[in-house]
Amino acid sequence: MTSESNIAVGIDLGTTYTAVAYIDDTGRPVTLVNAEGDLVTPSVVLFEGQHAVVGKEALKALSTEADHVAQCAKRELGERVFHKVLEGRQFPPEALEAFVLNKVRQDASRHIGDFRQVVITVPAYFDEVRRKATQDAGYMAGFDVLDIINEPTAAAIAHGFIKGYLNRDGASNELRRLLVYDLGGGTFDVTVMEINAHDFVALATDGDVQLGGQDWDMRLVDYVAEEFKKTYDLDPREEPNTAGRLWRECEDAKRTLSARGKVSISCDYKSQAMRVEITREKFEELTHDLLDRTKFTTKQTLQAAGLTWKDVDYVLLVGGSTRMPMVSRMLRELTGKDPDASVSVDEAVAHGAALHASIILARLRGESPVINVRNVNSHSLGVVASDPRTMRRRNAILIPRNTTLPVTAKRVFRTQKENQKSILVQIVEGESASPEDCSQIGKCVVRNLPAQLPAQTPIDVRFAYQDNGRLTVHVSVAGTSRELKHEIARDNSISQEQLDAWRLFITGHQLADAQLQADDDDTATIDEL
Ligand code: AMP
């Protein structure tokens, strides 16, 4: 789908909050407020029959109608269905994300008119499956997704803009290196980037898709619930609305603890009530292992980039959770530098995405790019092959992690047996030699091989990995005309018809039922050279 609109819009689709920015007439990124007048929209969906309410009201409903509310769907992208049944129905996580995107699209249209083309951000650590799911969410919400860009890269672009790297006339040739520490509501990402004039190059990236502010909240929830249990022998977590209310209290208390030394959290359940006081020191003690996990990953990423702290010019803070004083303190101790928060931690990613959108639109108009962005892949990509000596299946890596993109790679394998009829190429993502420990991200099958093809016939497998993290696989079989070019489709993927049905459903044109189905293919293993 294409649009006549030339407005550059970027969306930071966060686990807990979503922000939208566009580039105004003067070329500056501006965050768009939603219909409630806020800069960010909670990524939460409340279902009322066929009607979906997104944002602040849905968040509030966690205390009263928790069974009808979906939150943190981003954490489940890549799964077939969201863990919770809503209105008797199982939603794919990307459809829940699409409800959020649809709401911010409608709200943004009130300010900038109708638009379709957007750049959406994802954590750098997102694998192919989750990237594709994000792209699908954009489609279901009625968008034409220009690109999916990594959140730290977007933050670095926004930083470059503020610091003047994007100034056409004044771009400095001095090389700068940034470490982007991004701790949001549900995910943690760390990326080392090099900025040289107009080139933005990611050197290494790592992270954890299951670590974010939400985990800090849950430590407070558990602490208060245990105190309540000690006093009344009742667990407030066992009833969903009470648990939802307690979580909201704790999330609020966590924010207070970023500004004050202590806070008191109230909890009531089954006609019993109590207030639990907690100091910042206690909160830091309860969560130090979570912070240590981010510290460990930060150190590892610097090492993977082949740098030491003295090579790093800026330590950039991104994501709402970096407001916790423990984060800056840890980074100051670790790096010997004052973390840089010159770009708003809530808006940096959306601003960078909007700037990236404007660059793409300029390119589409035939103008030269103002900046060049180069990413690395966050996970190794390979295919499942049998080791000829042991006959054990293993992950044969074609593109190791932290390789600069775009990249093409080739490896030669062989057919396993004589007269093999088809070849199944299973693509996996992960570092382990064992395919079972990697994520299965897709497969393609070369069928109808010529009769009497000898065993050990060479098979060329080529991967073309683009800088937006999308992968195309080429397979060719020596001495035959059999060849296959395949943009990888994830297993259990949603078909185009289903995507269209969701798009109609979510954007409200027509009620339709989108069913999920799995596909099944023949299998035949390829043998490694
Ligand atoms: P993001 O996904 O970047 O919007 O980050 C949202 C996360 O930041 C949520 O877990 C919030 O609870 C957290 N957050 C926002 N403001 C604060 C604050 N002042 N102190 C601690 N955490 C915060």
Side-chain angles (χ1 to χ4, degrees), residues 16-17 184-185 213-214 217 251 254-255 258 319-321 323-324 346:
T16 48
Y17 291 95
Q214 191 89 12
D217 303 342
E251 201 259 353
K254 176 187 72 174
R255 290 173 188 250
S258 293
S321 300
R323 290 208 178 87
M324 293 187 291
D346 298 317

Side-chain angles (χ1 to χ4, degrees), residues 124 152-153 178-181 189-193 202-206 301 376:
T153 307
L178 264 77
L179 180 126
V180 184
Y181 176 103
D189 248 29
V190 58
T191 300
V192 179
M193 299 217 51
L203 300 178
T205 189
D206 204 341
T301 312
V376 289

Side-chain angles (χ1 to χ4, degrees), residues 290-361:
L290 301 173
L291 190 70
D292 279 355
R293 274 164 66 188
T294 73
K295 182 177 172 183
F296 178 76
T297 307
T298 305
K299 281 203 276 197
Q300 268 201 331
T301 312
L302 186 78
Q303 232 172 36
L307 301 178
T308 63
W309 288 117
K310 67 174 174 14
D311 304 317
V312 175
D313 301 296
Y314 303 105
V315 175
L316 208 65
L317 294 180
V318 179
S321 300
T322 59
R323 290 208 178 87
M324 293 187 291
M326 65 178 97
V327 171
S328 300
R329 198 173 60 235
M330 178 276 285
L331 286 172
R332 204 171 289 119
E333 280 165 17
L334 180 67
T335 67
K337 290 168 211 307
D338 267 336
D340 184 319
S342 52
V343 193
S344 151
V345 297
D346 298 317
E347 297 169 272
V349 172
H351 283 196
L355 286 161
H356 187 60
S358 76
I359 292 156
I360 295 175
L361 291 174

Side-chain angles (χ1 to χ4, degrees), residues 86-393:
L86 297 146
E87 306 301 317
R89 172 175 199 157
Q90 286 197 300
F91 287 88
E94 51 269 59
L96 297 170
E97 293 282 80
F99 280 106
V100 176
L101 289 171
N102 186 50
K103 142 91 173 161
V104 299
R105 180 175 60 76
Q106 287 172 337
D107 289 0
S109 303
R110 294 151 64 119
H111 302 282
I112 57 172
D114 232 1
F115 65 99
R116 286 282 177 271
Q117 295 172 313
V118 287
V119 166
I120 305 178
T121 62
V122 291
Y125 203 64
F126 254 24
D127 57 19
E128 169 60 22
V129 174
R130 294 181 175 104
R131 281 168 200 274
K132 174 73 169 65
T134 305
Q135 190 147 23
D136 287 350
Y139 182 82
M140 290 178 190
F143 285 126
D144 173 10
V145 181
L146 288 170
D147 202 3
I148 297 284
I149 175 177
N150 290 343
E151 288 160 9
T153 307
I157 292 173
H159 185 261
F161 182 85
I162 292 241
K163 299 277 174 190
Y165 302 119
L166 291 190
N167 185 333
R168 265 180 200 269
D169 308 312
S172 143
N173 272 331
E174 207 180 322
L175 185 129
R176 305 277 165 92
R177 294 199 184 97
L178 264 77
L179 180 126
V180 184
Y181 176 103
D182 181 354
L183 188 61
T187 55
F188 169 64
D189 248 29
V190 58
T191 300
V192 179
M193 299 217 51
E194 196 168 84
I195 304 179
N196 197 359
H198 299 303
D199 292 327
F200 285 63
V201 182
L203 300 178
T205 189
D206 204 341
D208 192 334
V209 285
Q210 301 292 346
L211 182 64
Q214 191 89 12
D215 300 288
W216 269 258
D217 303 342
M218 292 322 288
R219 292 292 166 89
L220 282 179
V221 168
D222 289 341
Y223 180 74
V224 175
E226 290 302 327
E227 292 295 306
F228 198 90
K229 255 172 85 176
K230 269 190 237 160
T231 312
Y232 298 116
D233 202 22
L234 285 169
D235 190 340
R237 289 166 296 192
E238 65 196 14
E239 198 278 311
N241 289 341
T242 311
R245 201 161 53 239
L246 179 58
W247 168 68
R248 289 198 68 207
E249 285 278 340
C250 289
E251 201 259 353
D252 201 42
K254 176 187 72 174
R255 290 173 188 250
T256 303
L257 286 172
S258 293
R260 300 184 56 186
K262 65 175 185 224
V263 68
S264 119
I265 304 170
S266 63
C267 178
D268 59 276
Y269 181 45
K270 291 197 172 162
S271 311
Q272 305 291 354
M274 75 183 285
R275 290 189 82 79
V276 177
E277 190 161 284
I278 184 154
T279 60
R280 188 187 287 170
E281 287 69 37
K282 182 70 188 172
F283 176 52
E284 293 185 353
E285 182 193 314
L286 290 172
T287 55
H288 79 271
D289 60 309
L290 301 173
L291 190 70
D292 279 355
R293 274 164 66 188
T294 73
K295 182 177 172 183
F296 178 76
T297 307
T298 305
K299 281 203 276 197
Q300 268 201 331
T301 312
L302 186 78
Q303 232 172 36
L307 301 178
T308 63
W309 288 117
K310 67 174 174 14
D311 304 317
V312 175
D313 301 296
Y314 303 105
V315 175
L316 208 65
L317 294 180
V318 179
S321 300
T322 59
R323 290 208 178 87
M324 293 187 291
M326 65 178 97
V327 171
S328 300
R329 198 173 60 235
M330 178 276 285
L331 286 172
R332 204 171 289 119
E333 280 165 17
L334 180 67
T335 67
K337 290 168 211 307
D338 267 336
D340 184 319
S342 52
V343 193
S344 151
V345 297
D346 298 317
E347 297 169 272
V349 172
H351 283 196
L355 286 161
H356 187 60
S358 76
I359 292 156
I360 295 175
L361 291 174
R363 255 187 223 156
L364 292 175
R365 288 194 301 268
E367 295 165 22
S368 58
V370 184
I371 62 164
N372 305 308
V373 175
R374 270 182 290 149
N375 287 324
V376 289
N377 61 329
S378 50
H379 304 265
S380 300
L381 279 168
V383 299
V384 179
S386 304
D387 186 311
R389 287 173 296 276
T390 61
M391 286 318 285
R392 285 171 66 158
R393 278 156 45 92

